[in-house]
Amino acid sequence: MKKFSLLEEPWIPVLREGRVEEVGLREALLQAHNITRIETPSPLEEAALHRLLLAVLHRALMGPRRLEDVLDWWRAGRFPEGPLTNYLDRFADRFFLFHPKTPFFQVADLPEENALPWSKLLPELASGNNPTLFDHTTEENVPKVAYAQAARALLVHQTFALGGLLRRFGVASAKDAPVARPALFLPTGGNLLETLLLNLVPYTPEEDAPIWEVPPLRLADLEGGRTKWPIAGRTRVYTWPTRGVRLLDEGGGVRFMGYGPGVEPLEATYRDPMVAQRLDSRGNLAALRLSEDRSFWRDFSAMLPRQGGKVAATVEHAENLQGELEDGGEEARVALRVLGQVSDQAKVLDVRREVYPLPPGLLCPEAEGKLEKALKDAEELGRGLQGLALQVARAVVGERDRKELTDFARSLPLGRLYWHALDGAFPGFLARVGEGEALGLWQEALKRAALEAWAATRLFLGTEARHLKAVAEGERVLGRLLGELKEVVK
């Protein structure tokens, strides 16, 4: 029996008129101009939902072919209703969460035997190989989840599943989802319509099709890794069937699912519009990832052309759109959300969302140069403070035990507080990077961060003679570092 249409039933969480509510996919697109944004605490869910909406738009509008198409829709203040409605009506039967032949993003004949808990779909939940990140769900006590949440979890898993052992239906292991590990770049505007347009990068619809436009997958297609598709075609990748899943309806909710291999990805010449690249140590372009122990902004310049990188196409598109709007006397306030997960092998260590301003003109050579210099200065001062911490530790504990020396240096709050302060200061610098005094203000932020971190470190140390000696030595080194910073920035 067909049940829970994702086009009509509420399941996408949005912020509208100051209130969070859930809407169906049809309403999210046709009323995007009246919706502030997709509102979810999960960064992965935010990215996956946007990719689904973008896939529908690309296919329904068969474009945009050019930036001018996006400008027309922006100025119209809404998406063209006719083509969108016709497209959704045409494929309505493929958007039911439960359907005897074509359940959305699932495999209808996947066996119910050896079912897994639905919580395996979300890395934030403790299940299987997932470490405990934010919750303490156990597989012995799996709660029944509402259809809306099950649908969102399904979407997240298909978008971000990590490769690893599988041992089902003749398949021993499975590969990553196409964007499981890179950071994803999502420019956002004043409402959902603007956000979608900022990410609707010009597109060639030929030789591409999302999962609902192709024949539904069956277990026989997936057994033994039989079905392999090249990673190519934007909406195909946006809706890649990474795993075979069949949500098992318990009436009013889902507790378990059939689970198996998905379509095996084959390498192809394709670059995801939301992914940026940097040069790796061998001089090859590699997808930019989030790091477990540092904020993304410290790698911001790595994706810029000056360092051989490539910004995400969504960022470049947003920059171009902003420029065209400014030329027409219009203004677009754009923020950049960097979304993704930090992983080690098949384990998710963290899920992240970082938000930065995206000022017009960020990608011009002058702004890139300032950004590069600012980050270089921050790293050099950071390394200097690291050396200072070691010097202070040496004055306190001596050189007898190297491990004791380095452990003591790491325990000092100096580096931690320095970077924490800059985490807060960087968005302000980025917003003003096009202004003449931006680097001078950043210099002040670096000094302030270093001095405040040192003040806290002084309090951390004791008052014995060796501690006072360490403080005196530390202040001498700090003065030299700040003096060098002044020389560099000038």
Side-chain angles (χ1 to χ4, degrees):
M1 185 178 70
K2 294 188 290 189
K3 193 173 180 181
F4 203 79
S5 166
L6 298 178
L7 300 186
E8 316 300 341
E9 300 281 356
W11 69 287
I12 299 174
V14 300
L15 180 67
R16 178 160 55 183
E17 297 179 351
R19 294 177 53 191
V20 178
E21 58 182 307
E22 292 180 348
V23 299
L25 196 152
R26 187 188 299 270
E27 185 175 357
L29 292 174
L30 293 177
Q31 293 298 316
H33 54 291
N34 291 323
I35 292 171
T36 305
R37 60 175 177 267
I38 289 176
E39 184 73 10
T40 165
S42 166
L44 304 188
E45 195 171 284
E46 181 179 5
L49 285 168
H50 279 98
R51 287 170 74 86
L52 173 65
L53 296 181
L54 290 167
V56 173
L57 286 170
H58 278 308
R59 298 307 292 174
L61 304 176
M62 295 306 280
R65 300 274 184 165
R66 308 165 305 152
L67 182 63
E68 287 76 12
D69 297 335
V70 182
L71 278 168
D72 289 343
W73 298 330
W74 184 289
R75 287 167 176 151
R78 59 196 311 157
F79 291 115
E81 187 169 337
L84 199 48
T85 299
N86 291 340
Y87 183 80
L88 294 177
D89 290 345
R90 180 181 168 199
F91 291 101
D93 221 36
R94 300 294 299 270
F95 283 87
F96 284 93
L97 193 61
F98 303 100
H99 190 288
K101 295 181 179 176
T102 60
F104 178 76
F105 232 152
Q106 299 168 74
V107 180
D109 62 345
L110 210 60
E112 297 183 18
E113 291 77 20
N114 299 318
L116 296 178
W118 77 273
S119 53
K120 179 180 173 62
L121 295 174
L122 292 181
E124 295 97 326
L125 301 183
S127 176
N129 202 34
N130 298 342
T132 299
L133 293 178
F134 310 115
D135 97 311
H136 297 275
T137 303
T138 66
E139 295 188 4
E140 290 73 30
N141 185 26
V142 181
K144 187 161 72 173
V145 65
Y147 297 145
Q149 187 175 353
R152 297 194 297 269
L154 172 66
L155 200 60
V156 168
H157 192 70
Q158 298 288 23
T159 308
F160 291 103
L162 295 171
L165 292 175
L166 189 66
R167 301 187 193 286
R168 284 181 177 237
F169 308 114
V171 174
S173 63
K175 293 185 178 179
D176 287 349
V179 292
R181 299 184 195 266
L184 298 183
F185 293 79
L186 182 78
T188 58
N191 57 39
L192 181 58
L193 173 79
E194 292 182 3
T195 294
L196 291 170
L197 289 173
L198 287 164
N199 292 277
L200 211 58
V201 178
Y203 162 75
T204 303
E206 290 77 18
E207 299 182 3
D208 181 32
I211 190 70
W212 53 82
E213 286 191 28
V214 298
L217 291 165
R218 298 284 181 251
L219 176 59
D221 299 318
L222 305 177
E223 285 178 316
R226 187 170 298 137
T227 300
K228 300 176 174 62
W229 294 346
I231 301 180
R234 187 176 305 170
T235 65
R236 167 183 277 185
V237 177
Y238 278 7
T239 61
W240 189 272
T242 304
R243 298 288 184 273
V245 177
R246 180 186 166 200
L247 298 174
L248 303 179
D249 183 16
E250 290 192 4
V254 173
R255 201 184 309 268
F256 293 98
M257 62 180 178
Y259 193 79
V263 172
E264 186 171 334
L266 299 175
E267 289 301 323
T269 305
Y270 172 78
R271 184 174 159 229
D272 194 283
M274 291 188 175
V275 173
Q277 294 174 308
R278 64 181 302 169
L279 286 180
D280 64 16
S281 58
R282 297 180 178 178
N284 300 317
L285 284 170
L288 198 57
R289 297 183 179 186
L290 296 172
S291 168
E292 185 182 16
D293 56 0
R294 53 194 281 161
S295 300
F296 162 73
W297 68 265
R298 292 174 63 182
D299 294 320
F300 209 108
S301 65
M303 64 179 179
L304 299 178
R306 285 174 62 93
Q307 294 195 15
K310 290 187 176 181
V311 297
T314 49
V315 174
E316 192 170 9
H317 172 68
E319 167 95 352
N320 293 337
L321 185 57
Q322 278 182 293
E324 291 292 330
L325 289 168
E326 280 198 344
D327 290 345
E330 302 164 81
E331 184 181 2
R333 300 189 67 177
V334 182
L336 177 63
R337 295 163 97 86
V338 185
L339 311 165
Q341 57 189 352
V342 181
S343 58
D344 179 17
Q345 303 292 327
K347 289 186 178 180
V348 177
L349 304 179
D350 197 6
V351 292
R352 297 258 288 279
R353 173 195 289 123
E354 299 184 23
V355 183
Y356 301 95
L358 189 62
L362 176 64
L363 301 182
C364 75
E366 183 182 356
E368 284 187 35
K370 286 183 184 176
L371 185 56
E372 187 179 58
K373 183 166 177 50
L375 297 184
K376 183 180 177 185
D377 292 345
E379 293 294 336
E380 286 182 350
L381 183 54
R383 283 193 293 272
L385 294 177
Q386 195 175 4
L388 190 160
L390 267 176
Q391 201 154 338
V392 168
R394 193 172 289 113
V396 173
V397 303
E399 290 273 17
R400 287 172 299 179
D401 187 327
R402 185 69 184 171
K403 184 175 185 305
E404 183 184 7
L405 175 68
T406 54
D407 286 348
F408 186 85
R410 288 198 190 100
S411 73
L412 296 175
L414 188 59
R416 189 169 60 254
L417 292 182
Y418 169 74
W419 289 115
H420 178 71
L422 294 185
D423 284 347
F426 180 78
F429 164 74
L430 187 63
R432 306 183 64 172
V433 71
E435 300 177 15
E437 64 272 26
L439 275 178
L441 294 172
W442 179 245
Q443 176 191 354
E444 293 302 320
L446 295 182
K447 284 182 179 178
R448 191 163 51 249
L451 289 169
E452 290 174 359
W454 172 247
T457 304
R458 285 189 55 164
L459 294 175
F460 182 87
L461 296 170
T463 56
E464 296 178 14
R466 57 186 175 133
H467 297 131
L468 296 176
K469 179 183 176 184
V471 167
E473 181 64 17
E475 291 190 340
R476 184 186 65 76
V477 175
L478 181 63
R480 176 176 57 77
L481 290 173
L482 295 182
E484 290 174 353
L485 173 68
K486 188 175 181 180
E487 292 297 322
V488 169
V489 175
K490 270 185 171 180

